[in-house]
Amino acid sequence: RSNLHFIRACNDVVLDGSSERTGVKNALVRMGNRTDVRIVSMSIGTPFYSSVLYDGVVYANNKGKMLFAAAGTSFSWTSWWGVIYPAAHGECIAVTGVNESSATCDVCHDGSQVDFTVPMERNSNVDRNTLSLAGSGNNPSYVGGSSSATAMAAGVAALVWSARPTLTRSQVYTAIRNTSQYYPSLNSSRGYGNINAAAAVSAALTY
């Protein structure tokens, strides 16, 4: 019961060009102006603050959109870097990936700005990630990192909202937060931990 609207706003997931940051801002403005859009999922980012990018985040947030953003994904030797932008902004819901034991995934960033996590990596094999569509042919592939975790978290939010379409953005967030792994505690680097889709839907139906 959810519709998808796609905008390609940048060349790749790393927003290292001014035109890419402007493109994302323009996309956020466009999404903000669409009354049929409630959730925005961004598996993109930069480690450096951008006022242009932030302008887009603020605009879409002020239009009532629920903004999900990836905490960051790097090679294992640079994954120590904290949460990237736009996920680091308070207007965004920052998501990262964890393994089966709830440890941050091999290439994922974490930090105090993270709100939620999604399991997407096996303990025994860091290359065993989330099942994905094939890049070509018919054999499915695997994809990991905070990007896939963010997309799944946004999907859960859409599921929760579809169960009770009259909820506000704040109520949807509360239903997800209050049924997450660590709630009411807050982990210092992984937020409220793993999202529980079924429990969040059940919580939404009580409103």
Side-chain angles (χ1 to χ4, degrees):
R1 294 169 57 185
S2 297
N3 295 318
L4 299 178
H5 182 73
F6 293 92
I7 297 178
R8 180 173 179 176
C10 45
N11 291 324
D12 52 37
V13 297
V14 181
L15 304 179
D16 53 358
S18 61
S19 61
E20 291 183 300
R21 294 187 288 273
T22 299
V24 173
K25 175 195 171 180
N26 292 341
L28 285 166
V29 169
R30 178 170 174 173
M31 290 290 196
N33 288 334
R34 289 185 64 104
T35 57
D36 58 336
V37 169
R38 294 186 174 189
I39 298 167
V40 177
S41 179
M42 297 177 283
S43 292
I44 53 176
T46 171
F48 306 109
Y49 171 82
S50 163
S51 60
V52 172
L53 183 60
Y54 185 55
D55 284 347
V57 167
V58 170
Y59 186 89
N61 178 71
N62 288 345
K63 288 288 188 174
K65 311 310 174 186
M66 184 174 243
L67 306 177
F68 285 86
T73 304
S74 298
F75 296 109
S76 58
W77 58 87
T78 55
S79 58
W80 54 267
W81 195 292
V83 176
I84 63 172
Y85 297 98
H89 292 305
E91 292 82 358
C92 293
I93 299 170
V95 183
T96 199
V98 294
N99 64 18
E100 295 169 293
S101 298
S102 295
T104 306
C105 85
D106 188 53
V107 294
C108 295
H109 296 205
D110 59 20
S112 60
Q113 298 97 333
V114 169
D115 291 275
F116 301 113
T117 59
V118 172
M120 38 64 61
E121 184 176 279
R122 296 295 298 271
N123 287 342
S124 58
N125 186 349
V126 297
D127 293 323
R128 199 71 158 175
N129 306 121
T130 309
L131 190 65
S132 177
L133 296 174
S136 62
N138 298 316
N139 293 325
S141 59
Y142 292 88
V143 61
S146 65
S147 292
S148 60
T150 300
M152 283 190 282
V156 170
L159 181 68
V160 171
W161 224 330
S162 72
R164 186 74 78 190
T166 57
L167 293 184
T168 65
R169 175 179 63 180
S170 178
Q171 288 172 323
V172 172
Y173 179 84
T174 298
I176 296 171
R177 182 198 64 189
N178 290 8
T179 55
S180 291
Q181 180 182 14
Y182 300 130
Y183 183 81
S185 299
L186 192 65
N187 184 279
S188 61
S189 60
R190 293 187 292 279
Y192 292 105
N194 291 338
I195 289 172
N196 185 325
V201 168
S202 295
L205 291 174
T206 65
Y207 282 95

